Amino acid sequence: QLQLVESGGGSVQPGGSLRLSCAASGLTWEHGAIAWFRQSPGKEREGVSCLSIRGDTTTYADSVKGRFTISRDKHTVFLRMNSLKPEDTAVYYCAAGPTECWYGMSYPDDFGSWGQGTQVTVSS
């Protein structure tokens, strides 16, 4: 059974950096894709970045391209976040599921497994 546990959130000033980690025990190639989503109060859950487990291809939301990098080391998925902005403030969730990144980023319900989330706050 797949279990996802996020860590690494915190508070930083604008322009700062954080690295989120998602420990994914039980992750196999059958899961298709693993992704980071975020949600802030009053807003819908937004796909941030996705990694195809089978092909190691990556996908990013336009709002984070060039600033965020998703990577994987065995059963841990990372989200390196640079040049953080106040609008990046949200709870960040790790998710995995039998889907494709190009589709699942817009349809989070296709990811059947979710972590508990980690808070990221960007403020001066």
Side-chain angles (χ1 to χ4, degrees):
Q1 184 176 356
L2 180 63
Q3 290 187 324
L4 305 173
V5 179
E6 303 98 333
S7 61
S11 296
V12 295
Q13 293 186 342
S17 298
L18 283 173
R19 189 180 77 160
L20 305 183
S21 299
C22 173
S25 61
L27 184 69
T28 70
W29 66 271
E30 293 178 323
H31 290 99
I34 188 162
W36 288 94
F37 288 81
R38 65 187 180 187
Q39 188 167 23
S40 51
K43 294 187 177 181
E44 292 189 356
R45 193 163 293 192
E46 174 191 19
V48 175
S49 183
C50 184
L51 177 69
S52 170
I53 294 171
R54 296 163 187 164
D56 267 351
T57 57
T58 58
T59 305
Y60 297 93
D62 288 343
S63 58
V64 306
K65 279 181 182 177
R67 300 189 298 122
F68 290 12
T69 303
I70 191 170
S71 62
R72 180 166 72 112
D73 179 13
K74 295 184 180 179
H75 298 291
T76 302
V77 178
F78 303 98
L79 185 68
R80 177 67 181 181
M81 305 185 295
N82 295 327
S83 303
L84 283 162
K85 305 175 181 179
E87 51 263 43
D88 294 319
T89 295
V91 177
Y92 283 70
Y93 298 90
C94 179
T99 185
E100 300 288 342
C101 287
W102 64 270
Y103 182 83
M105 285 271 284
S106 299
Y107 297 96
D109 287 346
D110 273 22
F111 289 86
S113 300
W114 291 80
Q116 81 288 352
T118 185
Q119 176 71 46
V120 171
T121 303
V122 185
S123 174
S124 55

